[in-house]
């Protein structure tokens, strides 16, 4: 544009107001620049044409708006007309589809005529497919129009609620009127909006169920509903809070009596409100419940469709009661940083004092809102616990966790932390009692309103702070090990109770108590400490969280106790050359302790809580299943380790007993004169006596077994004496048969007498002890054969396989073939 200068004689026309900041030429589009160049060629045009152009553009915009409205009205009429005609078209298309389907069935190729009609079948199938596509499009359009209508109704209701009432739906100004002329219509509009949202949700659920491919339609409707919820939900909450304030909630807190130990009741506005106030609060409470129920349905649908995470949902109306109380309580909490027991006492007092109003006033309102299996008492207790958990996490545990990193503060932090846990555990039990006093006790977990009972524990603060959980576990483990160390040093803790020592061997093998297992007191103490660690987290809401804590505390403590047992066993000197009854009793006590702990861990593993944790652990794949762990048992690895300790220790004792017997009986098995000496003429009434070379070995064996019988638990002693018998049977038979002894008749009698003395040692443990010495018994049978029988058996054995079969039929199966032949060849018979 070329600038021109106006005549100074003529005054310039009035300049219309311009915007304070004009856009830069570079910011304008080419179309806008062309428009400006066309209408404003000179500066005079800018001054003279602007008012006229402004009114012209306004008129043109108004005409365009009118035209668009007429087009919208026409389009709406045509859509309604099309929908009315579509019902007839729907019926016709449905009938046509059925006819085409029946025709398609008739034209299916049969026998040898399929090739003749195949060309006619294909066009009919394509036509049926196209008809179904048309019907699917029609269903989509009908659903979209229906949802559009429902969203339009919702928008109207929300607009009416927000526009009709500039203040609160339940404001004090409106509520003072006895008729409440404006509150009724607004409440009705609010309920209409919630009903419209429920209708929309029902329609969307049907879409998800029958047409999941319409994902874009679902997202579009959800976005529009979310925007409307973002408008109406804050207003409903603001109205409810204003109503609570008008009712005098929260009441004043008298904490001076808490500190002095005198806890008195507080005035409960929920119980005191009457008449119109009670009715208005009821309407507001039900509206919040209905809105939350709608939100719950939307969350469930979206979680199933879009994979959104589940979250724990409290009752909003009850949370609104707790929130103002929390603001007042935190002021008093801050004064009790060094006396946290007052904090727990105040929270429990308020929870208990108002629980009557919760039951009598709020539970009927929840029932009217049709929240199935929802307990007002449980929601109230859970909300109070959540409030306390948030304060403790912010004001206590966060600071303690930071101070724990400083080494010189570890002991002080540990004392404060564990004291807090003690208070939390006791407080959780009190709150659980409040919940279980009413119907919450009888509701199945799966039937309860989502997320309530799962959060009734202050320990939920560790759910999102696994680093704090790790610190807590370390403290508990360190404290438990410290307690055990103090008891381990006391020798009285290792005493074995021998009150069953004089009992006969008819006792039962169903062992349950520590006395039955003859375990030392230290085993009971270790189990008690372990169970206390397990109970510390029993109120923890999450299964995997409890699992992690128990694995980090109780299980690690058990492994520490196993190391104590192993260290004590290795420190006990017990060998064939250095043997005494005290050492043997000490070892028996360790085996009994392992057996007792083993039985208790198996008993604990059968508990429902541990079965649930084991299933959760397997599902979460926390461990590698190829490690050989017993995956059906929570303490499978610990039980396996204890079983290995018991077996190894028993085998060491058995080995020492057998080596001691071998050392003491060495001359007996090596001295052939006992068995080769010829028969002397003696009186028929005279009996042979036990050989002096084996008397000491038998006496020591009897003494050892008697100590073991008295000190060892029955199950392990049963395994032990049978293993000892098996070892002696193998040792004696191999030593005798491999020594090339030429048994005389007197030698056979001497060997039988000595072995009968051996059998007598095991007589108190079983009715037929010789049954546990099969090799010795078969040796007797061979040595007692007559001369003719020996010759016959030697002839039979020379036949090879038939001889072996004959031996087995004769009851000789334990002694090898070559040793049988040696015994028969070395047998000497008198003249």
């Amino acid at each position: 544009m070329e600038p021109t200068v106006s005549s100074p004689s003529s005054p310039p026309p009035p300049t219309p107001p311009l915007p304070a900041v004009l856009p830069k030429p570079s910011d304008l589009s080419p179309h806008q620049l062309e428009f400006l160049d066309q209408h404003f060629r000179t500066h005079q045009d800018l001054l003279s044409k602007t008012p006229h152009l402004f009114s012209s553009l306004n008129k043109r915009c108004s005409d365009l708006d009118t035209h668009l409205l007429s087009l919208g009205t026409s389009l709406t009429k045509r859509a309604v007309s099309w929908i009315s005609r579509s019902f007839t078209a729907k019926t016709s298309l449905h009938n046509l589809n059925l006819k085409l389907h029946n025709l398609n069935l008739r034209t299916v190729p049969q026998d040898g005529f399929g090739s003749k009609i195949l060309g006619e079948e294909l066009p009919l199938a394509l036509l049926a497919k196209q008809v179904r596509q048309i019907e699917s499009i029609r269903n989509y359009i009908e659903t979209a129009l229906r949802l559009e209508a429902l969203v339009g109704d919702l928008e109207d209701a929300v607009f009416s609620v927000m526009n009709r009432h500039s203040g609160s739906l339940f404001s004090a100004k409106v509520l003072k009127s006895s008729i409440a002329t404006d509150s009724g219509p607004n409440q009705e509009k609010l309920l209409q909006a919630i009903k419209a949202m429920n209708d929309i949700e029902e329609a969307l659920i049907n879409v998800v169920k029958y047409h999941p491919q319409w994902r874009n339609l679902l997202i579009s409707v959800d976005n529009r509903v979310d925007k409307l919820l973002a408008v109406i939900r804050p207003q409903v909450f603001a109205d409810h809070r204003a109503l609570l304030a008008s009712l005098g909630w929260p009441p004043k807190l008298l904490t001076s009596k808490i500190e002095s130990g005198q806890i008195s009741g507080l005035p409960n506005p929920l119980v005191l409100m009457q008449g119109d106030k009670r009715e208005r609060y009821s309407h507001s409470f039900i509206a919040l419940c209905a809105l939350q129920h709608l939100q719950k349905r939307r969350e469930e649908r979206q979680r199933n469709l879009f994979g959104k995470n589940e979250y724990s949902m409290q009752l909003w109306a009850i949370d609104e009661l707790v929130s103002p109380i929390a603001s007042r309580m935190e002021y008093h909490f801050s004064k009790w940083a060094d006396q946290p027991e007052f904090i727990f006492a105040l929270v429990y007092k308020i929870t208990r004092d108002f629980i009557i109003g919760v039951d009598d006033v709020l539970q009927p309102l929840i029932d009217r809102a049709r929240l199935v299996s929802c307990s007002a008492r449980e929601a109230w207790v859970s909300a109070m616990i959540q409030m306390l958990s948030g304060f403790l996490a912010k004001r206590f545990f966060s600071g303690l966790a930071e101070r724990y990193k400083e080494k010189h503060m570890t002991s002080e932090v540990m004392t404060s932390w564990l004291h807090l846990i003690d208070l939390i555990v006791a407080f959780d039990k009190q709150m659980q009692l409040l919940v279980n006093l009413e119907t919450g006790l009888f509701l199945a977990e799966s039937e309860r309103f989502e997320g309530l009972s799962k959060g009734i524990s202050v320990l939920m603060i560790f759910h999102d702070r696994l680093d704090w959980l790790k610190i807590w576990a370390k403290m508990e483990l360190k404290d438990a090990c410290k307690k055990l160390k103090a008891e381990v040093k006391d020798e009285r803790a290792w005493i074995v109770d021998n009150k069953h020592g004089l009992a006969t061997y008819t006792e039962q093998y169903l062992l349950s108590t520590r006395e039955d297992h003859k375990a030392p007191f230290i085993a009971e103490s270790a189990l008690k400490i372990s169970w206390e660690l397990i109970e510390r987290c029993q109120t923890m809401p999450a299964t995997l969280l409890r699992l992690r804590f128990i694995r980090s505390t109780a299980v690690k403590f058990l492994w520490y106790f196993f190391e104590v047992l192993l260290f004590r066993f290795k420190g006990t000197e017990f060998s064939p050359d250095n043997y005494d009854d005290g050492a043997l009793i000490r070892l028996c006590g360790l085996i009994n302790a392992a057996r007792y702990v083993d039985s208790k861990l198996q008993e604990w593993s059968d508990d429902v809580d541990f079965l649930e944790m084991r299933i959760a652990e397997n599902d979460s794949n926390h461990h590698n299943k190829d490690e050989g762990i017993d995956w059906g048992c929570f303490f499978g690895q610990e039980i396996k380790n204890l079983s290995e300790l018991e077996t190894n220790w028993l085998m060491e004792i058995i080995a020492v007993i057998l080596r001691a017997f071998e050392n003491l009986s060495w001359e007996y098995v090596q001295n052939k004169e006992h068995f080769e000496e010829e028969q002397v003429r003696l009186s028929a009434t005279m009996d042979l006596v036990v050989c002096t070379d084996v008397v000491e070995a038998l006496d020591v064996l009897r003494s050892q077994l008697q100590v073991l019988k008295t000190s060892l638990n029955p199950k392990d002693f049963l395994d032990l004496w049978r293993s000892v018998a098996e070892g002696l049977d193998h040792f004696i038979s191999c030593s005798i048969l491999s020594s090339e002894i030429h048994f005389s008749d007197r030698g056979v009698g001497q060997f039988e007498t000595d072995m009968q003395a051996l059998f007598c040692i095991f007589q108190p443990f079983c009715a037929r002890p010789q049954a546990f010495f099969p090799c010795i018994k078969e040796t007797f049978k061979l040595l007692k054969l007559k001369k003719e029988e020996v010759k016959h058996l030697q002839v039979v054995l020379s036949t090879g396989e038939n001889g072996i079969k004959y031996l087995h039929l004769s009851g000789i199966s334990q002694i090898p073939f070559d040793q049988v032949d040696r015994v028969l060849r070395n047998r000497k018979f008198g003249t």
Side-chain angles (χ1 to χ4, degrees):
M1 293 183 298
E2 298 179 0
T4 58
V5 181
S6 59
S7 174
S9 60
S10 59
T15 304
L18 297 175
V21 179
L22 292 176
K24 297 179 180 179
S26 59
D27 295 338
L28 299 176
S29 65
H31 180 73
Q32 292 172 334
L33 291 173
E34 182 181 357
F35 176 83
L36 293 175
D37 290 339
Q38 181 180 357
H39 291 85
F40 303 104
R41 297 183 180 275
T42 63
H43 185 70
Q44 184 65 30
D45 292 340
L46 178 64
L47 298 176
S48 60
K49 293 183 179 182
T50 298
H52 175 72
L53 183 59
F54 181 76
S55 60
S56 176
L57 289 174
N58 278 339
K59 184 177 182 304
R60 186 176 179 185
C61 290
S62 177
D63 294 340
L64 289 174
D65 289 339
T66 304
H67 181 64
L68 287 175
L69 289 175
S70 63
L71 287 178
T73 304
S74 176
L75 181 60
T76 302
K77 291 180 180 179
R78 291 182 181 181
V80 172
S81 175
W82 184 88
I83 291 174
S84 63
R85 291 196 299 270
S86 69
F87 288 109
T88 305
K90 176 183 177 181
T91 304
S92 301
L93 289 172
H94 181 68
N95 294 334
L96 178 59
N97 191 22
L98 289 177
K99 291 178 180 180
L100 290 173
H101 181 69
N102 294 333
L103 182 60
N104 188 30
L105 292 177
R106 294 193 192 103
T107 57
V108 171
Q110 297 178 0
D111 301 332
F113 303 99
S115 59
K116 298 180 181 180
I117 59 176
L118 187 60
E120 298 180 3
E121 180 188 2
L122 185 59
L124 292 175
L126 291 176
L127 180 59
K129 181 179 179 181
Q130 292 176 355
V131 169
R132 285 193 296 270
Q133 289 178 348
I134 294 173
E135 185 175 0
S136 177
I137 294 172
R138 181 190 58 79
N139 289 334
Y140 181 86
I141 294 175
E142 287 182 353
T143 304
L145 290 174
R146 180 168 177 266
L147 286 172
E148 179 64 31
L150 290 174
V151 174
D153 293 342
L154 173 61
E155 290 174 341
D156 291 342
V158 171
F159 179 78
S160 179
V161 168
M162 302 302 295
N163 214 29
R164 175 188 289 268
H165 180 62
S166 58
S168 167
L169 295 177
F170 309 97
S171 65
K173 179 180 179 181
V174 176
L175 299 179
K176 288 181 181 179
S177 172
S178 60
I179 303 177
T181 56
D182 194 42
S183 178
N186 276 279
Q187 178 67 10
E188 182 180 353
K189 286 294 182 181
L190 175 60
L191 295 178
Q192 286 179 4
I194 295 175
K195 182 180 181 304
M197 284 187 281
N198 275 306
D199 292 340
I200 293 171
E201 190 60 32
E202 196 67 36
L204 293 179
I205 290 174
N206 289 333
V207 171
V208 171
K209 185 176 181 181
Y210 298 108
H211 305 286
Q213 70 274 16
W214 297 350
R215 187 184 183 93
N216 291 334
L217 177 62
L218 292 170
I219 295 175
S220 175
V221 175
D222 272 335
N223 289 338
R224 294 178 65 182
V225 174
D226 286 339
K227 292 178 180 178
L228 295 172
L229 277 173
V231 173
I232 196 172
R233 188 162 51 195
Q235 184 63 47
V236 174
F237 275 96
D239 297 340
H240 189 78
R241 291 165 188 165
L243 177 60
L244 286 175
S246 68
L247 296 175
W249 186 273
K252 294 182 178 180
L253 305 179
L254 304 176
T255 59
S256 58
K257 295 186 177 182
I258 296 284
E259 298 175 3
S260 62
Q262 302 175 359
I263 301 179
S264 59
L266 296 175
N268 191 344
L270 296 178
V271 178
L272 297 177
M273 62 181 180
Q274 299 293 333
D276 290 341
K277 290 184 177 181
R278 192 183 188 97
E279 185 65 24
R280 291 191 296 270
Y281 180 77
S282 300
H283 288 320
S284 181
F285 188 94
I286 291 175
L288 264 184
C289 289
L291 197 60
Q292 183 178 8
H293 181 63
L294 168 69
Q295 182 69 18
K296 176 176 177 288
R297 294 183 66 195
R298 287 173 54 79
E299 289 290 335
E300 288 177 350
R301 173 180 56 80
Q302 292 174 350
R303 183 170 62 250
N304 295 333
L305 180 62
F306 304 117
K308 292 189 177 181
N309 294 328
E310 180 179 354
Y311 70 100
S312 178
M313 183 166 57
Q314 297 290 319
L315 278 180
W316 293 346
I318 290 183
D319 287 344
E320 290 302 313
L321 291 174
V322 173
S323 180
I325 290 181
S327 301
R328 291 192 178 183
M329 292 175 69
E330 286 193 9
Y331 168 75
H332 301 285
F333 289 170
S334 60
K335 299 187 299 183
W336 297 331
D338 297 330
Q339 296 173 306
E341 56 272 13
F342 291 151
I343 296 176
F344 290 92
L346 178 59
V347 175
Y348 177 74
K349 165 184 165 52
I350 292 176
T351 306
R352 185 198 60 190
D353 287 353
F354 292 136
I355 207 162
I356 297 177
V358 169
D359 286 338
D360 296 344
V361 179
L362 302 188
Q363 186 61 52
L365 297 179
I366 291 176
D367 296 338
R368 284 174 57 185
R370 298 181 181 179
L371 296 181
V372 180
S373 300
C374 177
S375 169
R377 174 186 288 257
E378 189 172 321
W380 166 253
V381 172
S382 180
M384 293 296 291
I385 287 178
Q386 280 193 338
M387 177 271 298
L388 177 60
S389 300
F391 179 81
L392 293 177
K394 181 173 61 176
R395 297 295 180 88
F396 282 89
F397 284 104
S398 58
L400 290 174
E402 289 297 323
R403 291 166 57 194
Y404 182 75
K405 299 177 182 178
E406 304 174 10
K407 292 184 178 180
H408 65 281
M409 299 294 293
T410 301
S411 178
E412 179 183 346
V413 171
M414 181 174 170
T415 302
S416 301
W417 192 300
L418 294 182
H419 178 57
L420 267 180
I421 296 296
D422 292 336
L423 295 175
I424 288 174
V425 171
F427 177 79
D428 280 345
K429 291 179 180 179
Q430 287 181 316
M431 301 300 265
Q432 288 285 357
L433 287 176
L434 283 180
V435 172
N436 294 337
L437 287 177
E438 294 296 333
T439 57
L441 179 64
F442 307 103
L443 291 176
E445 186 72 24
S446 59
E447 296 176 349
R448 297 184 180 187
F449 192 68
E450 179 183 352
L452 289 182
S453 59
K454 298 178 182 178
I456 302 185
S457 172
V458 181
L459 295 179
M460 65 190 297
I461 60 180
F462 295 104
H463 186 272
D464 298 323
R465 295 303 303 263
L466 296 181
D467 54 334
W468 293 357
L469 182 69
K470 186 177 180 180
I471 293 174
W472 176 29
K474 285 183 179 179
M475 292 179 178
E476 293 286 0
L477 180 60
K478 185 177 180 179
D479 185 62
C481 292
K482 183 178 179 181
K483 293 178 183 177
L484 185 65
K485 285 180 181 178
E487 297 194 25
V488 165
K489 294 178 181 178
D490 188 358
E491 285 298 323
R492 292 175 297 178
W494 296 98
I495 296 176
V496 177
D497 190 353
N498 288 329
K499 72 176 185 178
H500 297 299
L502 300 177
T504 62
Y505 207 72
T506 58
E507 58 188 298
Q508 299 294 324
Y509 292 97
L510 297 176
L511 311 179
S512 58
T513 63
R514 181 189 62 81
E515 291 79 6
D516 293 338
H517 287 84
K518 302 180 182 179
F521 295 103
I522 192 67
E524 191 77 66
S525 300
L527 287 172
K528 181 181 178 182
I529 295 173
S530 299
W531 189 251
E532 288 175 352
L533 290 174
I534 293 171
E535 285 189 325
R536 297 283 273 180
C537 66
Q538 283 304 295
T539 58
M540 195 173 289
T543 301
L544 287 178
L545 210 62
R546 292 201 313 274
L547 168 68
R548 185 189 293 263
F549 179 80
I550 292 174
R551 290 289 186 203
S552 301
T553 55
V555 172
K556 285 188 177 181
F557 173 79
L558 287 172
W559 283 95
Y560 172 75
F561 179 63
F562 300 161
E563 292 177 359
V564 171
L565 295 180
L566 183 59
F567 180 79
R568 189 172 178 86
F569 186 90
K570 291 180 177 180
T572 303
E573 296 184 3
F574 183 68
S575 65
D577 301 327
N578 185 17
Y579 165 79
D580 66 90
D581 291 346
L584 189 58
I585 293 173
R586 185 176 183 180
L587 298 182
C588 289
L590 297 176
I591 295 174
N592 295 341
R595 168 68 70 175
Y596 178 54
V597 174
D598 185 334
S599 66
K600 282 298 180 182
L601 292 183
Q602 292 186 26
E603 180 182 329
W604 291 356
S605 295
D606 293 336
D607 186 81
V608 175
D609 289 338
F610 288 104
L611 292 175
E612 180 184 354
M613 283 188 284
R614 166 51 81 189
I615 294 172
E617 185 175 28
N618 291 342
D619 293 342
S620 63
N621 296 321
H622 278 185
H623 297 279
N624 184 3
K625 294 188 177 183
D626 295 330
E627 293 178 358
I629 299 176
D630 180 7
W631 290 98
C633 179
F634 185 86
F635 295 101
Q637 186 66 14
E638 290 70 38
I639 293 172
K640 178 182 176 182
N641 181 263
L642 284 173
S643 179
E644 291 176 353
L645 287 178
E646 291 177 59
T647 303
N648 294 337
W649 294 346
L650 283 174
M651 291 305 297
E652 287 196 32
I653 294 177
I654 292 169
V656 169
I657 293 174
L658 293 177
R659 286 199 299 269
F661 187 88
E662 178 183 357
N663 294 339
L664 295 174
S665 64
W666 180 251
E667 292 186 5
Y668 172 75
V669 297
Q670 293 297 321
N671 191 353
K672 300 180 181 180
E673 296 179 359
H674 301 303
F675 311 112
E676 295 180 351
E677 187 178 354
E678 295 294 339
Q679 180 74 31
V680 295
R681 293 181 179 270
L682 296 172
S683 172
T685 59
M686 292 184 65
D687 295 328
L688 294 173
V689 296
V690 178
C691 182
T692 56
D693 290 341
V694 79
V695 169
E696 183 181 3
L698 293 176
D699 185 62
V700 171
L701 176 64
R702 182 196 59 80
S703 175
Q704 290 173 334
L705 291 178
Q706 187 60 39
V707 172
L708 290 167
K709 169 70 170 60
T710 305
S711 304
L712 196 60
N713 68 85
K715 286 185 178 180
D716 285 326
F717 179 72
L718 176 65
D719 294 336
L720 182 138
W721 76 256
R722 288 182 174 181
S723 298
V724 170
E726 180 183 357
L728 292 174
D729 181 57
H730 180 75
F731 165 70
I732 294 174
S733 62
C734 289
S735 299
I736 295 297
L737 296 177
S738 63
S739 298
E740 293 291 340
I741 300 175
H742 294 79
F743 276 93
S744 63
D745 291 342
R746 186 182 186 282
V748 172
Q750 183 64 56
F751 182 66
E752 183 178 9
T753 300
D754 297 339
M755 293 304 99
Q756 288 297 334
L758 176 64
F759 297 160
C760 287
I761 294 177
F762 292 88
Q763 188 70 48
F765 315 140
C766 60
R768 296 178 61 252
Q770 59 271 22
F772 296 94
F773 296 86
C775 294
I776 296 177
K777 186 174 67 171
E778 292 181 5
T779 303
F780 283 159
K781 185 176 293 188
L782 291 174
L783 292 175
K784 288 184 177 182
L785 292 175
K786 296 180 180 179
K787 187 174 183 179
E788 294 77 11
E789 293 174 337
V790 169
K791 291 182 178 180
H792 174 70
L793 183 57
Q794 286 177 329
V795 172
V796 174
L797 292 177
S798 64
T799 61
E801 292 185 1
N802 292 332
I804 297 176
K805 292 180 180 178
Y806 182 79
L807 281 178
H808 290 170
L809 292 174
S810 302
I812 309 297
S813 60
Q814 300 295 324
I815 302 177
F817 179 85
D818 59 332
Q819 291 188 2
V820 172
D821 182 64
R822 184 184 298 114
V823 171
L824 296 178
R825 282 189 291 104
N826 294 335
R827 178 72 169 89
K828 294 191 306 181
F829 294 95
T831 57

